Amino acid sequence: MLVAAAVCPHPPLIVPEVAGEAAPELDGLREACVSAVRSLAATRPDALITVGGAGAGATRSYGPDAAGSLAPWGADVRVGDGTPVLPLSLTLGRWLLDRAGAGLPASHEAVASDAPPEACARLGETLAGRGERVALLVMGDGSARLTVKSPGYLHPDAAAYDEALARALAGVDVRALAALDPGEAAELWVAGRAAFQVLAGAAGGDAVPGLAGELLYDEAPYGVGYLVARWLPR
């Protein structure tokens, strides 16, 4: 059963070694993410699991000790030992767990960017069934088309999409997350769509009266929607 969740974005620049002194505007984001992860771990779940997007067709499970690297993003920052295998989202998820002192997760779950909603829901249901008290750290960005300087340039529907996403995360609106359209998400460059729908599946596809939502961060410093939220027991 899902008893808590945290949602964080995964920009490489959140890591100080990657950003250097070039991204002080992300200090607040980093602090919000660490706060969300610490509050997630404080619920003492039977299983804490990270969930994050990966490439098309790349849904798979990694063990708790799986390693990741930020070398492709310009810094020799590693999490774990051995050959780096984690995608960016899960690499940063493990980095946040380390920074928050939350320990290793039960597993790292990569969900393909093109996974259909039904597959995401099934994965969420499976993860929620892995213990009596399951917590998820869900890594996902909002739209990357919010401004003319965004990676995907400005899209007229991007701002409204991210506003609705923020409301859903703040309000524990599971139905809204489950209803996200993969085609629209792809059009708006929403990297977190599949991971958000895994969260919806874990919550049971309906409202979760035992959880209260809180939005800790909602900004787009580089034209990409970065949202930090937590769902904790009331």
Side-chain angles (χ1 to χ4, degrees), residues 82-138:
T83 302
V85 294
L86 295 176
L88 174 63
S89 62
L90 295 178
T91 295
L92 289 176
R94 177 158 183 186
W95 181 85
L96 284 173
L97 289 172
D98 290 347
R99 192 172 181 90
L104 292 178
S107 66
H108 305 274
E109 303 292 333
V111 57
S113 59
D114 59 348
E118 297 80 6
C120 296
R122 286 194 299 271
L123 176 57
E125 291 168 3
T126 299
L127 297 180
R130 288 182 53 174
E132 292 183 4
R133 303 178 69 256
V134 174
L136 297 184
L137 171 55
V138 179

CSV table of all heavy atoms in Angstrom, one decimal, residues 82-138:
chain,number,residue,atom,x,y,z
A,82,GLY,N,30.6,0.2,-9.3
A,82,GLY,CA,30.4,-0.6,-10.5
A,82,GLY,C,30.1,0.2,-11.7
A,82,GLY,O,30.2,1.5,-11.7
A,83,THR,N,29.8,-0.5,-12.8
A,83,THR,CA,29.4,0.2,-14.1
A,83,THR,C,28.2,1.0,-14.0
A,83,THR,O,27.1,0.5,-13.5
A,83,THR,CB,29.3,-0.9,-15.2
A,83,THR,OG1,30.5,-1.7,-15.2
A,83,THR,CG2,29.0,-0.2,-16.5
A,84,PRO,N,28.2,2.3,-14.4
A,84,PRO,CA,27.0,3.1,-14.3
A,84,PRO,C,25.9,2.5,-15.3
A,84,PRO,O,26.2,2.4,-16.5
A,84,PRO,CB,27.5,4.5,-14.7
A,84,PRO,CG,28.9,4.5,-14.5
A,84,PRO,CD,29.4,3.0,-14.8
A,85,VAL,N,24.7,2.3,-14.7
A,85,VAL,CA,23.7,1.7,-15.6
A,85,VAL,C,22.4,2.5,-15.4
A,85,VAL,O,21.5,2.4,-16.3
A,85,VAL,CB,23.4,0.2,-15.2
A,85,VAL,CG1,24.6,-0.6,-15.6
A,85,VAL,CG2,23.0,0.1,-13.7
A,86,LEU,N,22.2,3.3,-14.4
A,86,LEU,CA,21.0,4.0,-14.1
A,86,LEU,C,20.8,5.2,-15.1
A,86,LEU,O,21.8,5.9,-15.4
A,86,LEU,CB,21.0,4.6,-12.7
A,86,LEU,CG,21.0,3.6,-11.5
A,86,LEU,CD1,21.1,4.4,-10.2
A,86,LEU,CD2,19.8,2.7,-11.6
A,87,PRO,N,19.6,5.4,-15.6
A,87,PRO,CA,19.3,6.6,-16.4
A,87,PRO,C,19.4,7.8,-15.6
A,87,PRO,O,19.5,7.8,-14.3
A,87,PRO,CB,17.9,6.3,-16.9
A,87,PRO,CG,17.3,5.5,-15.9
A,87,PRO,CD,18.4,4.6,-15.4
A,88,LEU,N,19.4,9.0,-16.2
A,88,LEU,CA,19.6,10.3,-15.5
A,88,LEU,C,18.6,10.4,-14.4
A,88,LEU,O,19.0,10.8,-13.3
A,88,LEU,CB,19.4,11.4,-16.5
A,88,LEU,CG,19.4,12.8,-15.9
A,88,LEU,CD1,20.8,13.1,-15.2
A,88,LEU,CD2,19.1,13.9,-17.0
A,89,SER,N,17.4,10.1,-14.6
A,89,SER,CA,16.3,10.4,-13.6
A,89,SER,C,16.7,9.6,-12.3
A,89,SER,O,16.6,10.1,-11.2
A,89,SER,CB,15.0,10.0,-14.1
A,89,SER,OG,14.9,8.6,-14.4
A,90,LEU,N,17.1,8.3,-12.5
A,90,LEU,CA,17.3,7.5,-11.3
A,90,LEU,C,18.7,7.8,-10.7
A,90,LEU,O,18.9,7.6,-9.5
A,90,LEU,CB,17.2,6.0,-11.7
A,90,LEU,CG,15.8,5.6,-12.1
A,90,LEU,CD1,15.8,4.1,-12.5
A,90,LEU,CD2,14.8,5.8,-11.0
A,91,THR,N,19.6,8.2,-11.5
A,91,THR,CA,20.9,8.6,-11.0
A,91,THR,C,20.7,9.8,-10.0
A,91,THR,O,21.3,9.8,-8.9
A,91,THR,CB,21.9,9.1,-12.1
A,91,THR,OG1,22.2,7.9,-12.9
A,91,THR,CG2,23.2,9.6,-11.6
A,92,LEU,N,19.9,10.8,-10.4
A,92,LEU,CA,19.6,11.9,-9.6
A,92,LEU,C,18.7,11.5,-8.4
A,92,LEU,O,18.9,12.1,-7.3
A,92,LEU,CB,19.0,13.0,-10.4
A,92,LEU,CG,20.0,13.7,-11.3
A,92,LEU,CD1,19.3,14.8,-12.2
A,92,LEU,CD2,21.2,14.3,-10.5
A,93,GLY,N,17.9,10.5,-8.6
A,93,GLY,CA,17.1,10.0,-7.5
A,93,GLY,C,18.0,9.5,-6.4
A,93,GLY,O,17.8,9.7,-5.2
A,94,ARG,N,19.0,8.7,-6.8
A,94,ARG,CA,19.9,8.1,-5.8
A,94,ARG,C,20.8,9.2,-5.2
A,94,ARG,O,21.1,9.1,-4.0
A,94,ARG,CB,20.7,7.0,-6.5
A,94,ARG,CG,21.7,6.4,-5.5
A,94,ARG,CD,22.3,5.1,-5.7
A,94,ARG,NE,23.1,4.7,-4.6
A,94,ARG,CZ,23.9,3.6,-4.6
A,94,ARG,NH1,23.8,2.7,-5.6
A,94,ARG,NH2,24.6,3.3,-3.6
A,95,TRP,N,21.2,10.2,-6.0
A,95,TRP,CA,22.0,11.3,-5.5
A,95,TRP,C,21.2,12.0,-4.4
A,95,TRP,O,21.7,12.3,-3.3
A,95,TRP,CB,22.4,12.2,-6.6
A,95,TRP,CG,23.2,13.3,-6.2
A,95,TRP,CD1,24.6,13.3,-6.0
A,95,TRP,CD2,22.8,14.7,-5.8
A,95,TRP,NE1,25.0,14.6,-5.6
A,95,TRP,CE2,23.9,15.4,-5.4
A,95,TRP,CE3,21.5,15.3,-5.8
A,95,TRP,CZ2,23.8,16.7,-5.0
A,95,TRP,CZ3,21.4,16.6,-5.3
A,95,TRP,CH2,22.6,17.3,-5.0
A,96,LEU,N,19.9,12.2,-4.6
A,96,LEU,CA,19.1,12.9,-3.6
A,96,LEU,C,18.9,12.0,-2.3
A,96,LEU,O,19.0,12.6,-1.2
A,96,LEU,CB,17.7,13.2,-4.2
A,96,LEU,CG,17.6,14.4,-5.1
A,96,LEU,CD1,16.2,14.5,-5.7
A,96,LEU,CD2,18.0,15.7,-4.4
A,97,LEU,N,18.8,10.7,-2.5
A,97,LEU,CA,18.7,9.9,-1.3
A,97,LEU,C,20.0,9.9,-0.5
A,97,LEU,O,19.9,10.0,0.7
A,97,LEU,CB,18.4,8.4,-1.8
A,97,LEU,CG,17.0,8.1,-2.3
A,97,LEU,CD1,17.0,6.7,-2.9
A,97,LEU,CD2,16.0,8.3,-1.2
A,98,ASP,N,21.1,9.9,-1.2
A,98,ASP,CA,22.4,10.0,-0.5
A,98,ASP,C,22.5,11.4,0.2
A,98,ASP,O,22.9,11.5,1.4
A,98,ASP,CB,23.5,9.9,-1.5
A,98,ASP,CG,23.7,8.5,-2.0
A,98,ASP,OD1,23.1,7.6,-1.5
A,98,ASP,OD2,24.4,8.3,-3.0
A,99,ARG,N,22.1,12.5,-0.5
A,99,ARG,CA,22.3,13.8,0.1
A,99,ARG,C,21.3,14.0,1.3
A,99,ARG,O,21.7,14.7,2.3
A,99,ARG,CB,22.0,14.9,-1.0
A,99,ARG,CG,22.3,16.3,-0.5
A,99,ARG,CD,22.2,17.2,-1.7
A,99,ARG,NE,22.6,18.6,-1.3
A,99,ARG,CZ,23.8,19.1,-1.5
A,99,ARG,NH1,24.8,18.3,-1.9
A,99,ARG,NH2,24.1,20.3,-1.1
A,100,ALA,N,20.2,13.4,1.2
A,100,ALA,CA,19.2,13.5,2.3
A,100,ALA,C,19.5,12.5,3.5
A,100,ALA,O,18.8,12.5,4.5
A,100,ALA,CB,17.8,13.3,1.8
A,101,GLY,N,20.5,11.6,3.3
A,101,GLY,CA,20.7,10.6,4.3
A,101,GLY,C,19.6,9.6,4.4
A,101,GLY,O,19.4,9.0,5.5
A,102,ALA,N,18.9,9.3,3.3
A,102,ALA,CA,17.8,8.4,3.4
A,102,ALA,C,18.1,6.9,3.1
A,102,ALA,O,17.2,6.1,3.2
A,102,ALA,CB,16.7,8.9,2.4
A,103,GLY,N,19.4,6.6,2.8
A,103,GLY,CA,19.7,5.2,2.6
A,103,GLY,C,19.4,4.8,1.2
A,103,GLY,O,18.9,5.5,0.3
A,104,LEU,N,19.6,3.5,0.9
A,104,LEU,CA,19.3,2.9,-0.4
A,104,LEU,C,17.8,2.5,-0.5
A,104,LEU,O,17.2,2.1,0.5
A,104,LEU,CB,20.2,1.6,-0.6
A,104,LEU,CG,21.7,1.8,-0.7
A,104,LEU,CD1,22.4,0.5,-0.9
A,104,LEU,CD2,22.0,2.7,-1.9
A,105,PRO,N,17.3,2.6,-1.7
A,105,PRO,CA,15.9,2.2,-1.9
A,105,PRO,C,15.8,0.7,-2.0
A,105,PRO,O,16.9,0.0,-2.1
A,105,PRO,CB,15.6,2.8,-3.2
A,105,PRO,CG,16.9,2.8,-4.0
A,105,PRO,CD,17.9,3.1,-2.9
A,106,ALA,N,14.6,0.1,-2.0
A,106,ALA,CA,14.4,-1.3,-2.2
A,106,ALA,C,14.8,-1.6,-3.6
A,106,ALA,O,15.3,-2.7,-3.9
A,106,ALA,CB,13.0,-1.7,-1.9
A,107,SER,N,14.5,-0.7,-4.5
A,107,SER,CA,14.9,-0.9,-5.9
A,107,SER,C,14.8,0.4,-6.7
A,107,SER,O,14.2,1.4,-6.1
A,107,SER,CB,14.0,-1.9,-6.6
A,107,SER,OG,12.7,-1.5,-6.7
A,108,HIS,N,15.4,0.5,-7.9
A,108,HIS,CA,15.2,1.6,-8.8
A,108,HIS,C,14.4,1.2,-9.9
A,108,HIS,O,14.8,0.2,-10.6
A,108,HIS,CB,16.6,2.1,-9.2
A,108,HIS,CG,17.6,2.5,-8.2
A,108,HIS,ND1,17.6,3.7,-7.5
A,108,HIS,CD2,18.5,1.7,-7.6
A,108,HIS,CE1,18.6,3.7,-6.6
A,108,HIS,NE2,19.2,2.5,-6.6
A,109,GLU,N,13.3,1.8,-10.2
A,109,GLU,CA,12.4,1.4,-11.3
A,109,GLU,C,12.4,2.4,-12.5
A,109,GLU,O,12.0,3.5,-12.3
A,109,GLU,CB,11.0,1.2,-10.8
A,109,GLU,CG,10.9,0.2,-9.6
A,109,GLU,CD,11.2,-1.2,-10.0
A,109,GLU,OE1,10.9,-1.5,-11.2
A,109,GLU,OE2,11.6,-2.0,-9.1
A,110,ALA,N,12.9,2.0,-13.6
A,110,ALA,CA,12.9,2.8,-14.8
A,110,ALA,C,11.7,2.5,-15.6
A,110,ALA,O,11.3,1.4,-15.8
A,110,ALA,CB,14.1,2.6,-15.7
A,111,VAL,N,11.0,3.6,-16.0
A,111,VAL,CA,9.8,3.4,-16.8
A,111,VAL,C,10.0,4.1,-18.2
A,111,VAL,O,10.4,5.2,-18.2
A,111,VAL,CB,8.5,3.9,-16.1
A,111,VAL,CG1,8.6,5.4,-15.7
A,111,VAL,CG2,7.3,3.7,-17.0
A,112,ALA,N,9.7,3.4,-19.2
A,112,ALA,CA,10.0,3.9,-20.6
A,112,ALA,C,9.1,5.2,-20.8
A,112,ALA,O,8.0,5.3,-20.4
A,112,ALA,CB,9.6,2.9,-21.6
A,113,SER,N,9.8,6.1,-21.5
A,113,SER,CA,9.1,7.4,-21.9
A,113,SER,C,7.8,7.2,-22.7
A,113,SER,O,6.9,8.0,-22.7
A,113,SER,CB,10.1,8.3,-22.6
A,113,SER,OG,10.5,7.7,-23.8
A,114,ASP,N,7.8,6.1,-23.5
A,114,ASP,CA,6.7,5.8,-24.3
A,114,ASP,C,5.7,4.7,-23.7
A,114,ASP,O,4.8,4.2,-24.4
A,114,ASP,CB,7.1,5.4,-25.7
A,114,ASP,CG,8.0,4.1,-25.7
A,114,ASP,OD1,8.4,3.7,-24.6
A,114,ASP,OD2,8.3,3.5,-26.8
A,115,ALA,N,5.9,4.4,-22.5
A,115,ALA,CA,5.0,3.4,-21.8
A,115,ALA,C,3.6,3.9,-21.8
A,115,ALA,O,3.3,5.1,-21.4
A,115,ALA,CB,5.5,3.1,-20.4
A,116,PRO,N,2.6,3.1,-22.2
A,116,PRO,CA,1.2,3.6,-22.2
A,116,PRO,C,0.7,3.7,-20.8
A,116,PRO,O,1.2,3.1,-19.9
A,116,PRO,CB,0.5,2.5,-23.0
A,116,PRO,CG,1.3,1.3,-22.9
A,116,PRO,CD,2.8,1.8,-22.8
A,117,PRO,N,-0.3,4.5,-20.6
A,117,PRO,CA,-0.9,4.7,-19.2
A,117,PRO,C,-1.2,3.4,-18.5
A,117,PRO,O,-1.0,3.2,-17.3
A,117,PRO,CB,-2.1,5.5,-19.4
A,117,PRO,CG,-1.8,6.3,-20.7
A,117,PRO,CD,-1.0,5.4,-21.5
A,118,GLU,N,-1.7,2.4,-19.3
A,118,GLU,CA,-2.1,1.1,-18.6
A,118,GLU,C,-0.9,0.4,-18.1
A,118,GLU,O,-1.0,-0.2,-17.0
A,118,GLU,CB,-2.9,0.3,-19.6
A,118,GLU,CG,-4.2,0.8,-20.2
A,118,GLU,CD,-4.0,1.9,-21.3
A,118,GLU,OE1,-2.8,2.1,-21.7
A,118,GLU,OE2,-5.0,2.5,-21.7
A,119,ALA,N,0.2,0.4,-18.8
A,119,ALA,CA,1.4,-0.2,-18.3
A,119,ALA,C,2.0,0.5,-17.1
A,119,ALA,O,2.5,-0.1,-16.2
A,119,ALA,CB,2.4,-0.3,-19.5
A,120,CYS,N,1.9,1.8,-17.1
A,120,CYS,CA,2.4,2.6,-16.0
A,120,CYS,C,1.5,2.3,-14.8
A,120,CYS,O,2.1,2.1,-13.6
A,120,CYS,CB,2.3,4.1,-16.3
A,120,CYS,SG,3.4,4.7,-17.6
A,121,ALA,N,0.2,2.2,-14.9
A,121,ALA,CA,-0.6,1.9,-13.8
A,121,ALA,C,-0.3,0.5,-13.2
A,121,ALA,O,-0.3,0.3,-12.0
A,121,ALA,CB,-2.1,2.0,-14.2
A,122,ARG,N,-0.1,-0.5,-14.1
A,122,ARG,CA,0.2,-1.8,-13.7
A,122,ARG,C,1.5,-1.9,-12.9
A,122,ARG,O,1.6,-2.5,-11.8
A,122,ARG,CB,0.3,-2.8,-14.8
A,122,ARG,CG,-1.1,-3.2,-15.4
A,122,ARG,CD,-1.0,-4.4,-16.3
A,122,ARG,NE,-0.1,-4.1,-17.5
A,122,ARG,CZ,-0.5,-3.6,-18.6
A,122,ARG,NH1,-1.7,-3.3,-18.8
A,122,ARG,NH2,0.4,-3.5,-19.6
A,123,LEU,N,2.5,-1.1,-13.4
A,123,LEU,CA,3.8,-1.1,-12.6
A,123,LEU,C,3.6,-0.5,-11.3
A,123,LEU,O,4.1,-1.0,-10.3
A,123,LEU,CB,4.8,-0.3,-13.4
A,123,LEU,CG,6.1,0.0,-12.8
A,123,LEU,CD1,6.8,-1.4,-12.4
A,123,LEU,CD2,7.1,0.8,-13.7
A,124,GLY,N,2.8,0.6,-11.2
A,124,GLY,CA,2.5,1.2,-9.9
A,124,GLY,C,1.8,0.3,-9.0
A,124,GLY,O,2.2,0.2,-7.8
A,125,GLU,N,0.8,-0.4,-9.5
A,125,GLU,CA,0.1,-1.4,-8.6
A,125,GLU,C,1.1,-2.5,-8.1
A,125,GLU,O,1.0,-2.9,-6.9
A,125,GLU,CB,-1.0,-2.0,-9.4
A,125,GLU,CG,-2.1,-1.1,-9.8
A,125,GLU,CD,-3.1,-1.7,-10.8
A,125,GLU,OE1,-2.9,-2.8,-11.2
A,125,GLU,OE2,-4.0,-1.0,-11.2
A,126,THR,N,2.0,-2.9,-8.9
A,126,THR,CA,2.9,-3.9,-8.5
A,126,THR,C,3.9,-3.4,-7.4
A,126,THR,O,4.1,-4.1,-6.4
A,126,THR,CB,3.8,-4.4,-9.7
A,126,THR,OG1,2.9,-5.0,-10.7
A,126,THR,CG2,4.8,-5.4,-9.3
A,127,LEU,N,4.3,-2.2,-7.6
A,127,LEU,CA,5.3,-1.6,-6.6
A,127,LEU,C,4.5,-1.4,-5.3
A,127,LEU,O,5.1,-1.6,-4.2
A,127,LEU,CB,5.8,-0.3,-7.1
A,127,LEU,CG,6.6,-0.3,-8.4
A,127,LEU,CD1,7.1,1.1,-8.8
A,127,LEU,CD2,7.8,-1.3,-8.3
A,128,ALA,N,3.3,-0.9,-5.3
A,128,ALA,CA,2.5,-0.7,-4.1
A,128,ALA,C,2.3,-2.0,-3.4
A,128,ALA,O,2.1,-1.9,-2.1
A,128,ALA,CB,1.2,0.0,-4.4
A,129,GLY,N,2.3,-3.1,-4.0
A,129,GLY,CA,2.1,-4.4,-3.4
A,129,GLY,C,3.3,-5.0,-2.8
A,129,GLY,O,3.3,-6.2,-2.4
A,130,ARG,N,4.5,-4.3,-2.8
A,130,ARG,CA,5.7,-4.9,-2.4
A,130,ARG,C,5.9,-4.8,-0.9
A,130,ARG,O,6.9,-5.3,-0.3
A,130,ARG,CB,6.9,-4.3,-3.1
A,130,ARG,CG,7.0,-4.7,-4.5
A,130,ARG,CD,8.2,-4.1,-5.2
A,130,ARG,NE,9.4,-4.3,-4.5
A,130,ARG,CZ,10.6,-4.0,-5.0
A,130,ARG,NH1,10.7,-3.4,-6.2
A,130,ARG,NH2,11.7,-4.2,-4.4
A,131,GLY,N,5.0,-4.3,-0.2
A,131,GLY,CA,5.0,-4.2,1.3
A,131,GLY,C,3.8,-3.6,1.8
A,131,GLY,O,2.9,-3.0,1.1
A,132,GLU,N,3.6,-3.7,3.2
A,132,GLU,CA,2.4,-3.1,3.8
A,132,GLU,C,2.5,-1.6,3.7
A,132,GLU,O,1.4,-0.9,3.6
A,132,GLU,CB,2.3,-3.6,5.2
A,132,GLU,CG,2.0,-5.0,5.4
A,132,GLU,CD,1.8,-5.4,6.8
A,132,GLU,OE1,1.9,-4.5,7.7
A,132,GLU,OE2,1.6,-6.6,7.1
A,133,ARG,N,3.7,-1.0,3.7
A,133,ARG,CA,3.8,0.4,3.7
A,133,ARG,C,4.9,0.8,2.7
A,133,ARG,O,6.1,0.6,2.9
A,133,ARG,CB,4.2,0.9,5.1
A,133,ARG,CG,3.2,0.5,6.2
A,133,ARG,CD,3.6,1.0,7.6
A,133,ARG,NE,3.5,2.4,7.7
A,133,ARG,CZ,4.5,3.3,7.6
A,133,ARG,NH1,5.7,2.8,7.5
A,133,ARG,NH2,4.3,4.6,7.8
A,134,VAL,N,4.5,1.3,1.5
A,134,VAL,CA,5.4,1.6,0.4
A,134,VAL,C,5.5,3.1,0.2
A,134,VAL,O,4.5,3.7,0.2
A,134,VAL,CB,5.0,0.9,-0.9
A,134,VAL,CG1,5.9,1.3,-2.0
A,134,VAL,CG2,5.1,-0.7,-0.7
A,135,ALA,N,6.7,3.6,0.0
A,135,ALA,CA,6.9,5.0,-0.3
A,135,ALA,C,7.6,5.1,-1.6
A,135,ALA,O,8.5,4.3,-1.9
A,135,ALA,CB,7.7,5.7,0.8
A,136,LEU,N,7.2,6.1,-2.5
A,136,LEU,CA,7.9,6.2,-3.8
A,136,LEU,C,8.5,7.6,-3.9
A,136,LEU,O,8.0,8.6,-3.5
A,136,LEU,CB,6.8,6.1,-4.9
A,136,LEU,CG,6.1,4.8,-5.1
A,136,LEU,CD1,5.1,4.9,-6.3
A,136,LEU,CD2,7.0,3.7,-5.2
A,137,LEU,N,9.8,7.6,-4.4
A,137,LEU,CA,10.4,8.8,-4.8
A,137,LEU,C,10.3,8.9,-6.3
A,137,LEU,O,10.9,8.1,-7.0
A,137,LEU,CB,11.9,8.8,-4.4
A,137,LEU,CG,12.8,10.0,-4.9
A,137,LEU,CD1,12.2,11.3,-4.6
A,137,LEU,CD2,14.2,9.9,-4.4
A,138,VAL,N,9.5,9.8,-6.8
A,138,VAL,CA,9.2,9.8,-8.3
A,138,VAL,C,9.9,11.0,-8.9
A,138,VAL,O,9.7,12.1,-8.5
A,138,VAL,CB,7.6,10.0,-8.5
A,138,VAL,CG1,7.3,10.1,-9.9
A,138,VAL,CG2,6.9,8.8,-7.8
